[in-house]
C-alpha cells in the first residue's frame, strides 16, 4: 500500500471515523476517535449553538508504577472518565516502507533519543529549560530531567487511565506560590493542571463543547490546542466544535466562549475545528487561532467574536507562532503548497513563504521560531524536520529517515540547553543540537 494510502495526519487525529473524502481533504491519523456523541452529523455542523455547561471535577491518585506518590488532592475528578463510549481506531501513521536509520544533514546532530513506550503526540520544555514533558497517545504524560536525561515520573490519574485518550497540548506555568505547574489538554475534553514535583492533579475542568451534545446541549468536545497569556493568568483552548474557551487560571472558571456569530455573511470566528491557539507574547488581551477553515482569526479577550481575519493557512497542529520583535506570524499548513508562510501581524498581509525542500515536500504539523535567524518546521509525507534560515529561506540542516510523521516539537529557550530542539516521531523523542552548542552527552 502506498505511503499516501496509509497516511495519517494531525488534521484527522481526533475526527470521526471516515467519510470517504480524498486524502488532501480528509486525511486520517494514527488514532482516530469517534465523536463523543452518537450523532454522525455533529462533525458536519459545527456551528449549531447549544447551552454551555462545565463542572470542576475530581481526581483520584494514579497507582501506575512509574508515578510519583501523590499528595493530598485539592480537587477530585472521579467523573471525568465516565460518559459515552469512545472508540479508538489504530492505523499506520505515515509509516515508512523503507527501514532507514534516522540521520541528520548539515549542522544538526542527534544529541540523544528518548524512548517513551507509546506514540508521542506532543512535547514541551519548561521555561527554565530543565524539564521536558512528553504527552502520549494513551493519556500519560512523562517528565524527563534535562540535567541528565533521566525519566522522572508519569503524570496520570485513574480517569485518564480509564479513557486512555491522547494528550493533545502541554504548557508549563507557575502558580501564585511559584510552584511549577503543567497544564495539559486531552482528546477526552479535559483540561488538567498538574503539580509537577508533587505528581498530583490540582484541578481539572471538562472543556464542554458548543456542539455535538444532542438534544441536551453542551456536549463534550475534543480539546486540541492550548495557549497561556503572557501573564500566565488566562488560558485559551481550541477544539472540535470551532469555539475557543477562555479560562481564569486562579479560579479555574471559564470566562468566555469566543466563537463566530450566527450570521453567514461575516467570517468573525471559526467554522470548523481549531488546532492552534496562540496568545501574543506581549499583549495580554490578544490571541490568534487557526484550524480547518483556512483562516487565521484575530481575537480580543473582551469580545466574543473575532476582530479580524486573514485567509490561507490550513492548520492541523501547533503551527501558529508570533515573533514580537518584528510582529510576524509563522504559520504551518498541512498541505503540499504554501506549507510555511510568514504574515505581518498588524496588516495581515503575507510577508513571504518558505519554498519546498529538495529532499521532499512536507505537510506541516509543527513549527517554531528558532532564535532571531531560524525556523524549525516538521510534519508528514517526508517525515522530516528542517532548520531554515529565515532571511534566505533556505534549509540549512535536516533530520531525515524517520519511520513516522513528526507530530510535535519544542525549542528550549533558557538555561544551558538553550537552542536544543525536541522532535517527536512514533514512540521516540529526538533531542537535536546544532553546531556551536556545547551540550554534554547524556
Amino acid at each position: 500500500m502506498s505511503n499516501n494510502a496509509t497516511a495519517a495526519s494531525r488534521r484527522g487525529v481526533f475526527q470521526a471515523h471516515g467519510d470517504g473524502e480524498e486524502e488532501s481533504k480528509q486525511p486520517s491519523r494514527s488514532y482516530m476517535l469517534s465523536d463523543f456523541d452518537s450523532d454522525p452529523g455533529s462533525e458536519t455542523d459545527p456551528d449549531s449553538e447549544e447551552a454551555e455547561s462545565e463542572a470542576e471535577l475530581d481526581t483520584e491518585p494514579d497507582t501506575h508504577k512509574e508515578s510519583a506518590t501523590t499528595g493530598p488532592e485539592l480537587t477530585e475528578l472521579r467523573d471525568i472518565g465516565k460518559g459515552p463510549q469512545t472508540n479508538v481506531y489504530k492505523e499506520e501513521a505515515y509509516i515508512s516502507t523503507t527501514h532507514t536509520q534516522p540521520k541528520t544533514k548539515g549542522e544538526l546532530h542527534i544529541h540523544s533519543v528518548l524512548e517513551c513506550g507509546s506514540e508521542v503526540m506532543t512535547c514541551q520544555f519548561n521555561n527554565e529549560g530543565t524539564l521536558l514533558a512528553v504527552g502520549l497517545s494513551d493519556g500519560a504524560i512523562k517528565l524527563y530531567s534535562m540535567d541528565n536525561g533521566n525519566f522522572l515520573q508519569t503524570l496520570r490519574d485513574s480517569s485518564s487511565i480509564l479513557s486512555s485518550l491522547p494528550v493533545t497540548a502541554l504548557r508549563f506555568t507557575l502558580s501564585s506560590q511559584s510552584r511549577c505547574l503543567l497544564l495539559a489538554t486531552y482528546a477526552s475534553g479535559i483540561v488538567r493542571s498538574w503539580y509537577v514535583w508533587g505528581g498530583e492533579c490540582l484541578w481539572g475542568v471538562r472543556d464542554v463543547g458548543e456542539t455535538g451534545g444532542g438534544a441536551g446541549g453542551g456536549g463534550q468536545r475534543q480539546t486540541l490546542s492550548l495557549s497561556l497569556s503572557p501573564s500566565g493568568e488566562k488560558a485559551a483552548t481550541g477544539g472540535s466544535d470551532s469555539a475557543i474557551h477562555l479560562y481564569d487560571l486562579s479560579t479555574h472558571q471559564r470566562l468566555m466562549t469566543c466563537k463566530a456569530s450566527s450570521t453567514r455573511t461575516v467570517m468573525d470566528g471559526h467554522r470548523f475545528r481549531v488546532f492552534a491557539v496562540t496568545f501574543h507574547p506581549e499583549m495580554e488581551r490578544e490571541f490568534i487561532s487557526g484550524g480547518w477553515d483556512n483562516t487565521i482569526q484575530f481575537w480580543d479577550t473582551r469580545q466574543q467574536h473575532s476582530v479580524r481575519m486573514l485567509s490561507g493557512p490550513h492548520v492541523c497542529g501547533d503551527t501558529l507562532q508570533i515573533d514580537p520583535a518584528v510582529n510576524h506570524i509563522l504559520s504551518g499548513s498541512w498541505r503540499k503548497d504554501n506549507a510555511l508562510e510568514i504574515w505581518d501581524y498588524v496588516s495581515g498581509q503575507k510577508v513571504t513563504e518558505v519554498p519546498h525542500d529538495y529532499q521532499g515536500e512536507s505537510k506541516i504539523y509543527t513549527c517554531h521560531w528558532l532564535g532571531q535567524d531560524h525556523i524549525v518546521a516538521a510534519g508528514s509525507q517526508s517525515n522530516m524536520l528542517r532548520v531554515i534560515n529565515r532571511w534566505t529561506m533556505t534549509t540549512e540542516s535536516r533530520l531525515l529517515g524517520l519511520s513516522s510523521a513528526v507530530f510535535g516539537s519544542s525549542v528550549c529557550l533558557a538555561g544551558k540547553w538553550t537552542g536544543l530542539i525536541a522532535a517527536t516521531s512514533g514512540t521516540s523523542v529526538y533531542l537535536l543540537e546544532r553546531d556551536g552548542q556545547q551540550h554534554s552527552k547524556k
Side-chain angles (χ1 to χ4, degrees):
M1 186 176 291
S2 69
N3 212 31
N4 284 341
T6 60
S9 83
R10 185 165 189 112
R11 166 180 170 162
V13 178
F14 312 118
Q15 72 187 49
H17 185 56
D19 65 4
E21 291 185 19
E22 61 184 348
E23 184 241 352
S24 63
K25 295 182 180 179
Q26 188 74 9
S28 61
R29 187 177 175 174
S30 59
Y31 287 86
M32 300 177 63
L33 311 179
S34 67
D35 286 342
F36 286 98
D37 57 282
S38 59
D39 178 11
S42 61
E43 173 60 23
T44 59
D45 183 19
D47 305 315
S48 61
E49 297 185 3
E50 301 186 49
E52 294 182 9
S53 65
E54 62 184 331
E56 190 134 356
L57 304 166
D58 287 5
T59 192
E60 294 177 342
D62 183 12
T63 56
H64 194 280
K65 63 180 180 181
E66 290 181 331
S67 299
T69 303
T70 58
E73 291 138 7
L74 302 187
T75 315
E76 291 189 22
L77 293 167
R78 292 194 182 93
D79 295 328
I80 285 182
K82 299 179 181 179
Q85 179 69 33
T86 300
N87 298 319
V88 178
Y89 299 87
K90 183 70 183 279
E91 296 185 356
E92 293 178 303
Y94 268 103
I95 301 299
S96 174
T97 56
T98 58
H99 299 284
T100 58
Q101 275 299 108
K103 61 182 180 180
T104 59
K105 286 187 176 182
E107 299 180 347
L108 194 66
H109 308 285
I110 298 175
H111 179 269
S112 54
V113 181
L114 305 176
E115 294 297 340
C116 301
S118 184
E119 187 174 19
V120 183
M121 313 303 282
T122 185
C123 62
Q124 185 72 34
F125 287 106
N126 70 338
N127 297 334
E128 296 73 30
T130 57
L131 297 173
L132 178 68
V134 176
L136 305 181
S137 60
D138 62 3
I141 300 169
K142 291 192 173 183
L143 288 173
Y144 294 87
S145 168
M146 294 308 301
D147 289 332
N148 50 27
N150 288 345
F151 166 80
L152 297 176
Q153 64 177 321
T154 296
L155 302 179
R156 198 175 189 187
D157 59 19
S158 58
S159 59
S160 59
I161 294 174
L162 181 63
S163 64
S164 295
L165 296 181
V167 180
T168 55
L170 297 167
R171 293 292 185 271
F172 281 95
T173 188
L174 294 175
S175 71
S176 57
Q177 294 81 30
S178 297
R179 296 201 296 177
C180 183
L181 306 181
L182 179 63
L183 263 65
T185 61
Y186 299 78
S188 59
I190 303 302
V191 182
R192 291 185 175 94
S193 176
W194 294 92
Y195 174 42
V196 171
W197 299 116
E200 58 182 304
C201 181
L202 300 180
W203 56 265
V205 295
R206 192 186 300 280
D207 207 22
V208 180
E210 294 293 298
T211 64
Q220 292 179 332
R221 74 169 185 170
Q222 300 155 353
T223 305
L224 307 174
S225 52
L226 170 68
S227 182
L228 302 183
S229 67
S231 68
E233 296 176 358
K234 296 180 179 65
T237 64
S240 57
D241 63 351
S242 79
I244 297 169
H245 296 164
L246 290 177
Y247 290 95
D248 184 320
L249 293 182
S250 62
T251 64
H252 322 148
Q253 299 299 309
R254 191 195 302 187
L255 299 172
M256 180 188 294
T257 295
C258 300
K259 59 182 179 178
S261 59
S262 57
T263 177
R264 295 287 180 166
T265 60
V266 178
M267 188 71 171
D268 56 359
H270 289 291
R271 300 296 181 181
F272 296 102
R273 299 183 176 216
V274 179
F275 276 92
V277 180
T278 304
F279 270 95
H280 193 290
E282 295 181 349
M283 299 181 186
E284 182 73 14
R285 293 173 173 172
E286 295 186 18
F287 66 93
I288 60 175
S289 59
W292 281 6
D293 57 17
N294 300 333
T295 69
I296 294 177
Q297 300 288 337
F298 293 74
W299 305 84
D300 185 309
T301 58
R302 295 164 294 185
Q303 301 185 41
Q304 185 179 34
H305 311 310
S306 69
V307 296
R308 56 193 176 94
M309 56 153 285
L310 65 84
S311 298
H314 184 73
V315 174
C316 297
D318 185 17
T319 59
L320 292 180
Q321 309 297 337
I322 301 172
D323 180 357
V326 290
N327 245 0
H328 282 176
I329 301 169
L330 172 65
S331 68
S333 297
W334 198 87
R335 62 188 179 200
K336 294 180 180 179
D337 298 320
N338 304 321
L340 278 170
E341 299 167 295
I342 297 175
W343 310 81
D344 182 78
Y345 182 89
V346 176
S347 68
Q349 297 298 308
K350 184 189 290 189
V351 176
T352 188
E353 61 186 58
V354 181
H356 288 305
D357 188 84
Y358 75 88
Q359 292 283 159
E361 298 173 343
S362 289
K363 298 179 180 180
I364 305 301
Y365 284 140
T366 177
C367 61
H368 298 276
W369 301 111
L370 179 60
Q372 296 296 315
D373 300 319
H374 293 88
I375 294 168
V376 175
S380 65
Q381 189 159 328
S382 296
N383 296 347
M384 172 176 63
L385 178 141
R386 303 163 61 191
V387 176
I388 302 158
N389 186 303
R390 73 184 281 183
W391 309 117
T392 64
M393 293 299 157
T394 57
T395 303
E396 293 185 348
S397 50
R398 304 167 183 84
L399 172 65
L400 303 163
L402 300 171
S403 61
S404 58
V406 180
F407 290 151
S409 64
S410 183
V411 176
C412 186
L413 300 178
K416 67 178 182 179
W417 304 100
T418 299
L420 194 72
I421 302 166
T424 75
S425 181
T427 61
S428 303
V429 178
Y430 294 85
L431 299 180
L432 309 168
E433 60 183 348
R434 296 182 295 144
D435 286 349
Q437 293 177 296
Q438 302 299 317
H439 300 149
S440 60
K441 287 289 182 181
K442 298 174 186 172

